[in-house]
Amino acid sequence: MHLTPREQERLVLAAGADLARRRLARGAQLGAAEAIALVCDEILEWAWDGIEYHEVVARAREIVPRDALLPGVPALAPFVQLEALFPYGSALVHVLDPFGPLDPEAGQVQDRPGQVRPGSLRVDLAPGRTRGIARFENTGHAPIWVSSHMPLQGLNASLTIELPDEPAGARWRLDLPAGMSRRFDPGERAEVGVVILDSAVLEGDGLDA
């Protein structure tokens, strides 16, 4: 049987949800993976059955009680977001606090299990790269997001950009850590730090288009 990636993901969720139901049936607490799988599985089935979107979101917060979870699990999943197939088509279902709101005293970041705690070592991003300031203006009627490593040449025409003159032939990107982005609201004018995207100045290799 040939399965699409989406079908494979659906079956994995179903397996995780089945594990969660078996643990709940014998009184065992749930970890994050199976608890989230159970919530997602129910959401997908309710959508399949044609339950209204707002009702799906409301029901999703009642699937797993807080006392059925291992300590720290609610802090690992402040929201659940997945694409569900309703009779009218696909919709992105966003459920905030699927396991209840976090306790402001007990849900601090340092108490979250499995988290990565950064050390005190300073890491320089894009070391040795030439940096500068670019002038942006959103002349359109909608916000424009620019991700960290998107080349600034050839973006949305509504976002006008005045890049540094030197070095000639270089591509630029926003001077942001990987995975971050910058929003430019309609009519906004801003001076933003930029950094050369390539480690060397380009010399007519066609990448500066």
Side-chain angles (χ1 to χ4, degrees), residues 173-191:
R173 65 170 177 85
L174 296 181
D175 194 3
L176 293 175
M180 302 294 289
S181 60
R182 170 69 154 81
R183 169 176 169 150
F184 297 90
D185 288 318
E188 179 182 358
R189 296 180 180 180
E191 293 187 347

PDB file of all heavy atoms in Angstrom, residues 173-191:
ATOM      1  N   ARG A 173      21.156  40.052   3.649  1.00  0.00           N
ATOM      2  CA  ARG A 173      20.005  39.530   4.375  1.00  0.00           C
ATOM      3  C   ARG A 173      19.872  40.324   5.674  1.00  0.00           C
ATOM      4  O   ARG A 173      20.772  41.086   6.041  1.00  0.00           O
ATOM      5  CB  ARG A 173      20.182  38.045   4.696  1.00  0.00           C
ATOM      6  CG  ARG A 173      21.336  37.732   5.660  1.00  0.00           C
ATOM      7  CD  ARG A 173      21.292  36.281   6.101  1.00  0.00           C
ATOM      8  NE  ARG A 173      22.396  35.884   6.961  1.00  0.00           N
ATOM      9  CZ  ARG A 173      22.441  36.045   8.282  1.00  0.00           C
ATOM     10  NH1 ARG A 173      21.439  36.652   8.904  1.00  0.00           N
ATOM     11  NH2 ARG A 173      23.483  35.632   8.991  1.00  0.00           N
ATOM     12  N   LEU A 174      18.762  40.147   6.372  1.00  0.00           N
ATOM     13  CA  LEU A 174      18.599  40.804   7.657  1.00  0.00           C
ATOM     14  C   LEU A 174      19.618  40.254   8.655  1.00  0.00           C
ATOM     15  O   LEU A 174      19.911  39.060   8.651  1.00  0.00           O
ATOM     16  CB  LEU A 174      17.181  40.589   8.195  1.00  0.00           C
ATOM     17  CG  LEU A 174      16.030  41.189   7.380  1.00  0.00           C
ATOM     18  CD1 LEU A 174      14.707  40.895   8.067  1.00  0.00           C
ATOM     19  CD2 LEU A 174      16.213  42.686   7.192  1.00  0.00           C
ATOM     20  N   ASP A 175      20.114  41.092   9.504  1.00  0.00           N
ATOM     21  CA  ASP A 175      21.084  40.663  10.512  1.00  0.00           C
ATOM     22  C   ASP A 175      20.326  40.105  11.722  1.00  0.00           C
ATOM     23  O   ASP A 175      20.279  40.703  12.799  1.00  0.00           O
ATOM     24  CB  ASP A 175      21.975  41.840  10.916  1.00  0.00           C
ATOM     25  CG  ASP A 175      23.204  41.391  11.702  1.00  0.00           C
ATOM     26  OD1 ASP A 175      23.378  40.171  11.876  1.00  0.00           O
ATOM     27  OD2 ASP A 175      23.966  42.274  12.143  1.00  0.00           O
ATOM     28  N   LEU A 176      19.726  38.934  11.513  1.00  0.00           N
ATOM     29  CA  LEU A 176      18.925  38.266  12.535  1.00  0.00           C
ATOM     30  C   LEU A 176      19.391  36.821  12.681  1.00  0.00           C
ATOM     31  O   LEU A 176      19.904  36.229  11.737  1.00  0.00           O
ATOM     32  CB  LEU A 176      17.439  38.260  12.144  1.00  0.00           C
ATOM     33  CG  LEU A 176      16.715  39.604  12.096  1.00  0.00           C
ATOM     34  CD1 LEU A 176      15.296  39.399  11.573  1.00  0.00           C
ATOM     35  CD2 LEU A 176      16.687  40.258  13.466  1.00  0.00           C
ATOM     36  N   PRO A 177      19.197  36.220  13.841  1.00  0.00           N
ATOM     37  CA  PRO A 177      19.509  34.793  13.993  1.00  0.00           C
ATOM     38  C   PRO A 177      18.624  33.947  13.080  1.00  0.00           C
ATOM     39  O   PRO A 177      17.498  34.345  12.728  1.00  0.00           O
ATOM     40  CB  PRO A 177      19.199  34.514  15.476  1.00  0.00           C
ATOM     41  CG  PRO A 177      19.247  35.848  16.140  1.00  0.00           C
ATOM     42  CD  PRO A 177      18.785  36.830  15.121  1.00  0.00           C
ATOM     43  N   ALA A 178      19.111  32.769  12.694  1.00  0.00           N
ATOM     44  CA  ALA A 178      18.351  31.869  11.823  1.00  0.00           C
ATOM     45  C   ALA A 178      17.002  31.555  12.450  1.00  0.00           C
ATOM     46  O   ALA A 178      16.891  31.295  13.649  1.00  0.00           O
ATOM     47  CB  ALA A 178      19.140  30.582  11.590  1.00  0.00           C
ATOM     48  N   GLY A 179      15.956  31.594  11.614  1.00  0.00           N
ATOM     49  CA  GLY A 179      14.614  31.287  12.072  1.00  0.00           C
ATOM     50  C   GLY A 179      13.819  32.492  12.532  1.00  0.00           C
ATOM     51  O   GLY A 179      12.607  32.387  12.729  1.00  0.00           O
ATOM     52  N   MET A 180      14.476  33.643  12.704  1.00  0.00           N
ATOM     53  CA  MET A 180      13.772  34.855  13.112  1.00  0.00           C
ATOM     54  C   MET A 180      13.269  35.590  11.867  1.00  0.00           C
ATOM     55  O   MET A 180      13.676  35.300  10.743  1.00  0.00           O
ATOM     56  CB  MET A 180      14.695  35.756  13.925  1.00  0.00           C
ATOM     57  CG  MET A 180      15.257  35.098  15.179  1.00  0.00           C
ATOM     58  SD  MET A 180      13.977  34.730  16.393  1.00  0.00           S
ATOM     59  CE  MET A 180      13.578  36.392  16.950  1.00  0.00           C
ATOM     60  N   SER A 181      12.396  36.554  12.095  1.00  0.00           N
ATOM     61  CA  SER A 181      11.866  37.335  10.981  1.00  0.00           C
ATOM     62  C   SER A 181      11.550  38.748  11.464  1.00  0.00           C
ATOM     63  O   SER A 181      11.505  39.014  12.668  1.00  0.00           O
ATOM     64  CB  SER A 181      10.618  36.679  10.389  1.00  0.00           C
ATOM     65  OG  SER A 181       9.601  36.560  11.372  1.00  0.00           O
ATOM     66  N   ARG A 182      11.319  39.631  10.516  1.00  0.00           N
ATOM     67  CA  ARG A 182      11.027  41.042  10.816  1.00  0.00           C
ATOM     68  C   ARG A 182       9.757  41.435  10.075  1.00  0.00           C
ATOM     69  O   ARG A 182       9.609  41.170   8.887  1.00  0.00           O
ATOM     70  CB  ARG A 182      12.202  41.914  10.400  1.00  0.00           C
ATOM     71  CG  ARG A 182      11.966  43.427  10.437  1.00  0.00           C
ATOM     72  CD  ARG A 182      11.817  43.946  11.857  1.00  0.00           C
ATOM     73  NE  ARG A 182      12.186  45.345  12.011  1.00  0.00           N
ATOM     74  CZ  ARG A 182      11.390  46.398  11.715  1.00  0.00           C
ATOM     75  NH1 ARG A 182      10.190  46.201  11.217  1.00  0.00           N
ATOM     76  NH2 ARG A 182      11.820  47.630  11.924  1.00  0.00           N
ATOM     77  N   ARG A 183       8.837  42.067  10.796  1.00  0.00           N
ATOM     78  CA  ARG A 183       7.579  42.518  10.203  1.00  0.00           C
ATOM     79  C   ARG A 183       7.684  44.005   9.860  1.00  0.00           C
ATOM     80  O   ARG A 183       8.139  44.812  10.673  1.00  0.00           O
ATOM     81  CB  ARG A 183       6.425  42.278  11.174  1.00  0.00           C
ATOM     82  CG  ARG A 183       5.112  42.950  10.766  1.00  0.00           C
ATOM     83  CD  ARG A 183       4.015  42.579  11.712  1.00  0.00           C
ATOM     84  NE  ARG A 183       2.824  43.406  11.496  1.00  0.00           N
ATOM     85  CZ  ARG A 183       1.586  43.002  11.722  1.00  0.00           C
ATOM     86  NH1 ARG A 183       1.366  41.775  12.170  1.00  0.00           N
ATOM     87  NH2 ARG A 183       0.564  43.795  11.525  1.00  0.00           N
ATOM     88  N   PHE A 184       7.234  44.332   8.639  1.00  0.00           N
ATOM     89  CA  PHE A 184       7.158  45.721   8.208  1.00  0.00           C
ATOM     90  C   PHE A 184       5.689  46.046   7.961  1.00  0.00           C
ATOM     91  O   PHE A 184       5.054  45.480   7.056  1.00  0.00           O
ATOM     92  CB  PHE A 184       7.981  45.940   6.933  1.00  0.00           C
ATOM     93  CG  PHE A 184       9.458  45.694   7.120  1.00  0.00           C
ATOM     94  CD1 PHE A 184       9.997  44.428   6.921  1.00  0.00           C
ATOM     95  CD2 PHE A 184      10.301  46.725   7.517  1.00  0.00           C
ATOM     96  CE1 PHE A 184      11.357  44.197   7.095  1.00  0.00           C
ATOM     97  CE2 PHE A 184      11.665  46.491   7.690  1.00  0.00           C
ATOM     98  CZ  PHE A 184      12.182  45.232   7.483  1.00  0.00           C
ATOM     99  N   ASP A 185       5.148  46.928   8.782  1.00  0.00           N
ATOM    100  CA  ASP A 185       3.739  47.282   8.671  1.00  0.00           C
ATOM    101  C   ASP A 185       3.509  48.250   7.512  1.00  0.00           C
ATOM    102  O   ASP A 185       4.434  48.926   7.056  1.00  0.00           O
ATOM    103  CB  ASP A 185       3.257  47.915   9.976  1.00  0.00           C
ATOM    104  CG  ASP A 185       3.137  46.897  11.093  1.00  0.00           C
ATOM    105  OD1 ASP A 185       2.649  45.783  10.829  1.00  0.00           O
ATOM    106  OD2 ASP A 185       3.548  47.214  12.234  1.00  0.00           O
ATOM    107  N   PRO A 186       2.265  48.342   7.012  1.00  0.00           N
ATOM    108  CA  PRO A 186       1.970  49.269   5.913  1.00  0.00           C
ATOM    109  C   PRO A 186       2.379  50.705   6.267  1.00  0.00           C
ATOM    110  O   PRO A 186       2.067  51.199   7.352  1.00  0.00           O
ATOM    111  CB  PRO A 186       0.453  49.144   5.754  1.00  0.00           C
ATOM    112  CG  PRO A 186       0.131  47.782   6.270  1.00  0.00           C
ATOM    113  CD  PRO A 186       1.085  47.552   7.399  1.00  0.00           C
ATOM    114  N   GLY A 187       3.105  51.339   5.362  1.00  0.00           N
ATOM    115  CA  GLY A 187       3.554  52.700   5.581  1.00  0.00           C
ATOM    116  C   GLY A 187       4.771  52.840   6.469  1.00  0.00           C
ATOM    117  O   GLY A 187       5.287  53.945   6.651  1.00  0.00           O
ATOM    118  N   GLU A 188       5.270  51.755   7.013  1.00  0.00           N
ATOM    119  CA  GLU A 188       6.405  51.830   7.933  1.00  0.00           C
ATOM    120  C   GLU A 188       7.701  52.127   7.186  1.00  0.00           C
ATOM    121  O   GLU A 188       7.980  51.546   6.135  1.00  0.00           O
ATOM    122  CB  GLU A 188       6.552  50.518   8.708  1.00  0.00           C
ATOM    123  CG  GLU A 188       7.733  50.516   9.669  1.00  0.00           C
ATOM    124  CD  GLU A 188       7.896  49.195  10.390  1.00  0.00           C
ATOM    125  OE1 GLU A 188       7.070  48.286  10.181  1.00  0.00           O
ATOM    126  OE2 GLU A 188       8.873  49.071  11.169  1.00  0.00           O
ATOM    127  N   ARG A 189       8.493  52.992   7.783  1.00  0.00           N
ATOM    128  CA  ARG A 189       9.845  53.253   7.319  1.00  0.00           C
ATOM    129  C   ARG A 189      10.791  52.895   8.454  1.00  0.00           C
ATOM    130  O   ARG A 189      10.569  53.292   9.601  1.00  0.00           O
ATOM    131  CB  ARG A 189      10.025  54.721   6.932  1.00  0.00           C
ATOM    132  CG  ARG A 189       9.169  55.164   5.737  1.00  0.00           C
ATOM    133  CD  ARG A 189       9.408  56.629   5.429  1.00  0.00           C
ATOM    134  NE  ARG A 189       8.605  57.072   4.294  1.00  0.00           N
ATOM    135  CZ  ARG A 189       8.624  58.327   3.816  1.00  0.00           C
ATOM    136  NH1 ARG A 189       9.431  59.230   4.383  1.00  0.00           N
ATOM    137  NH2 ARG A 189       7.866  58.664   2.787  1.00  0.00           N
ATOM    138  N   ALA A 190      11.822  52.142   8.124  1.00  0.00           N
ATOM    139  CA  ALA A 190      12.716  51.677   9.185  1.00  0.00           C
ATOM    140  C   ALA A 190      14.119  51.481   8.647  1.00  0.00           C
ATOM    141  O   ALA A 190      14.314  51.124   7.487  1.00  0.00           O
ATOM    142  CB  ALA A 190      12.201  50.369   9.775  1.00  0.00           C
ATOM    143  N   GLU A 191      15.090  51.738   9.528  1.00  0.00           N
ATOM    144  CA  GLU A 191      16.479  51.417   9.244  1.00  0.00           C
ATOM    145  C   GLU A 191      16.822  50.155  10.022  1.00  0.00           C
ATOM    146  O   GLU A 191      16.673  50.112  11.248  1.00  0.00           O
ATOM    147  CB  GLU A 191      17.401  52.570   9.639  1.00  0.00           C
ATOM    148  CG  GLU A 191      17.201  53.810   8.779  1.00  0.00           C
ATOM    149  CD  GLU A 191      18.224  54.874   9.071  1.00  0.00           C
ATOM    150  OE1 GLU A 191      18.934  54.754  10.113  1.00  0.00           O
ATOM    151  OE2 GLU A 191      18.349  55.822   8.281  1.00  0.00           O
TER     152      GLU A 191
END
